[in-house]
Amino acid sequence: REGNGTYNRMSVAVSDGDPAVITNISMVLIPPPAGAPVPERLTQRAAVAAWTAEIDKAASTGKFSGVWLWAKNSKAITSGARGKADREAGIDNTLDTRFRIGSMNKMFTAVATLQLVERGKLSLDDTLGKILPDYPNTNVASKVKVRHLLSHTGGTGDIFGPEFEAHRLELKTLQDYVKLYGERDLQFEPGTKWEYSNYGFLLLGVLIEKVSGKSYYDFVAENIYKVAGMTNSGSEPESVEVANRSKGYLRDQFKLVSNEPTLPWRGTSAGGGYTTAADLMKFADALMANKLLKAETLAEATRPQFTTGAYGFGFQIGRPDEARTYGHGGGAPGMNAILRVYPESGQSVIVLCNLDSPSASRIGDWLHARMPLK
């Protein structure tokens, strides 16, 4: 059980060898067990005071470095910043600091894909091969549909691992990833299983480029960032000097070190861009106001698309026994971030950190369990 009132189940897989080696660790959020204490819902004023105290406590013990923003109807209820954006230069985090957001870019990729569906340029049931007839693996091309990619049910696998490590700085375009991973086969029959797939969202970016005739980055900038008024978001390569972009710090033994040796050459449609808390509030507001997607499209994207029930089309979804929420988290070495949207009450909660997971998700979950839902 976390101190924020949430419960997790951790599974550890070990090899059969001697000595046994841990091969996988996974942790999933689970409903509170019967009879478990449930945090009390607080008034808005009390929640602000208690949440700020929780953040200060985490910051003072080195568990939080970043920003937070809790908003309702486009207005901030509370926001702030703690910690350093650049420890070497002594630069503080501020509300203008841009943070790397890992997989949160999947929301932008999903919205861009669904905009093309709304415009009749793409169908959820189009196969990969229909749009990309020269895709290297014909089995993948003939069976994987757009809806599978959006919902992590395509069996398309991941992009991170030894191959990525070996070619990290050579992977400069979305096509470079297809050249590296495009020949491998399916990990399971599409639609039969849910398994998080960064490569699936990489492929959505390739589809967006093919169908729109524009680069993935330009399409997202024009159709999402510009429409929502997001002026501080992007995915410029790491070699480009981006004003106010924080440095990330991962824990190595008992020290915090730069995450630079782990970063991709550039963020992709699977993740790796950067943004600010204010820009994410604008994104949440634009979604709720149906400026980015029609109401019926957003409803489909934010309902469970598989029996696991926790994922739609590019959006993570809250538990069915709680107030309806959608959004996404992002986590990688030296970065952690969350956006959670509460459409029925017009609220959004954003936490961005330049430390390892769960520095942001822990803070967001703490408020989620106690905030007023009206």
Side-chain angles (χ1 to χ4, degrees):
R1 176 178 184 260
E2 294 275 357
N4 53 33
T6 62
Y7 290 78
N8 295 277
R9 178 181 293 119
M10 182 159 67
S11 303
V12 180
V14 296
S15 67
D16 293 331
D18 186 17
V21 176
I22 294 175
T23 58
N24 187 53
I25 300 176
S26 63
M27 185 175 287
V28 294
L29 194 66
I30 61 170
V38 178
E40 180 185 350
R41 291 279 165 199
L42 303 174
T43 64
Q44 187 180 101
R45 179 179 291 184
V48 167
W51 196 36
T52 305
E54 188 70 18
I55 292 168
D56 285 338
K57 183 172 130 189
S60 69
T61 55
K63 294 179 179 177
F64 182 84
S65 172
V67 299
W68 69 92
L69 172 60
W70 173 16
K72 184 173 182 178
N73 299 329
S74 306
K75 294 181 180 177
I77 295 169
T78 182
S79 62
R82 296 286 186 274
K84 299 290 182 184
D86 185 330
R87 290 169 180 258
E88 291 74 31
I91 299 171
D92 290 335
N93 282 320
T94 73
L95 285 170
D96 293 324
T97 301
R98 292 162 161 168
F99 289 84
R100 292 176 182 82
I101 54 172
S103 284
M104 292 178 77
N105 287 83
K106 288 184 173 69
M107 294 184 290
F108 307 148
T109 301
V111 169
T113 303
L114 293 170
Q115 286 175 340
L116 290 168
V117 171
E118 286 185 344
R119 296 169 194 176
K121 306 283 189 184
L122 203 57
S123 164
L124 289 173
D125 290 311
D126 282 344
T127 61
L128 192 59
K130 179 180 177 182
I131 311 301
L132 305 173
D134 56 350
Y135 187 79
N137 186 297
T138 54
N139 192 41
V140 174
S142 65
K143 292 180 178 178
V144 177
K145 298 178 179 180
V146 172
R147 66 170 65 251
H148 296 141
L149 297 175
L150 283 166
S151 59
H152 297 292
T153 58
T156 42
D158 211 338
I159 54 179
F160 299 114
E163 283 183 298
F164 173 79
E165 296 295 330
H167 301 281
R168 180 172 64 91
L169 298 180
E170 301 162 26
L171 297 166
K172 297 185 176 182
T173 67
L174 302 186
Q175 287 296 337
D176 288 339
Y177 285 86
V178 175
K179 287 174 191 168
L180 183 60
Y181 299 109
E183 291 183 2
R184 70 183 180 188
D185 207 354
L186 293 168
Q187 298 196 344
F188 55 84
E189 284 297 305
T192 65
K193 185 177 174 183
W194 188 92
E195 189 173 279
Y196 197 81
S197 174
N198 282 300
Y199 186 56
F201 268 77
L202 189 287
L203 290 174
L204 286 171
V206 177
L207 294 181
I208 290 166
E209 291 189 335
K210 179 75 172 181
V211 171
S212 71
K214 298 179 178 180
S215 79
Y216 166 78
Y217 307 100
D218 287 346
F219 189 88
V220 168
E222 292 170 21
N223 293 276
I224 297 175
Y225 297 160
K226 187 176 180 182
V227 174
M230 301 165 67
T231 55
N232 288 298
S233 303
S235 294
E236 289 299 315
E238 288 297 328
S239 57
V240 174
E241 191 69 33
V242 176
N244 297 326
R245 183 166 64 180
S246 66
K247 292 187 174 182
Y249 297 91
L250 60 93
R251 193 164 290 283
D252 179 22
Q253 302 293 331
F254 299 104
K255 293 191 302 182
L256 285 174
V257 299
S258 171
N259 70 346
E260 189 176 344
T262 71
L263 297 171
W265 188 82
R266 183 180 196 177
T268 69
S269 47
Y274 51 83
T275 190
T276 63
D279 268 14
L280 283 175
M281 182 183 79
K282 291 174 183 175
F283 176 66
D285 290 343
L287 284 172
M288 288 189 277
N290 300 121
K291 291 180 180 177
L292 297 172
L293 293 172
K294 296 174 184 176
E296 56 268 31
T297 306
L298 181 62
E300 184 69 7
T302 56
R303 75 168 184 84
Q305 293 294 330
F306 196 67
T307 52
T308 55
Y311 211 91
F313 289 147
F315 288 92
Q316 293 168 332
I317 302 163
R319 293 207 315 259
D321 59 333
E322 297 181 333
R324 194 165 85 86
T325 63
Y326 58 80
H328 215 289
M335 69 183 83
N336 190 211
I338 64 151
L339 165 66
R340 192 175 272 131
V341 181
Y342 300 76
E344 288 160 7
S345 59
Q347 298 183 96
S348 56
V349 174
I350 296 135
V351 187
L352 307 175
C353 288
N354 57 335
L355 295 177
D356 292 329
S357 182
S359 52
S361 55
R362 179 191 287 129
I363 294 298
D365 289 345
W366 192 97
L367 180 63
H368 175 71
R370 294 165 176 83
M371 64 189 280
L373 298 175
K374 293 182 181 179

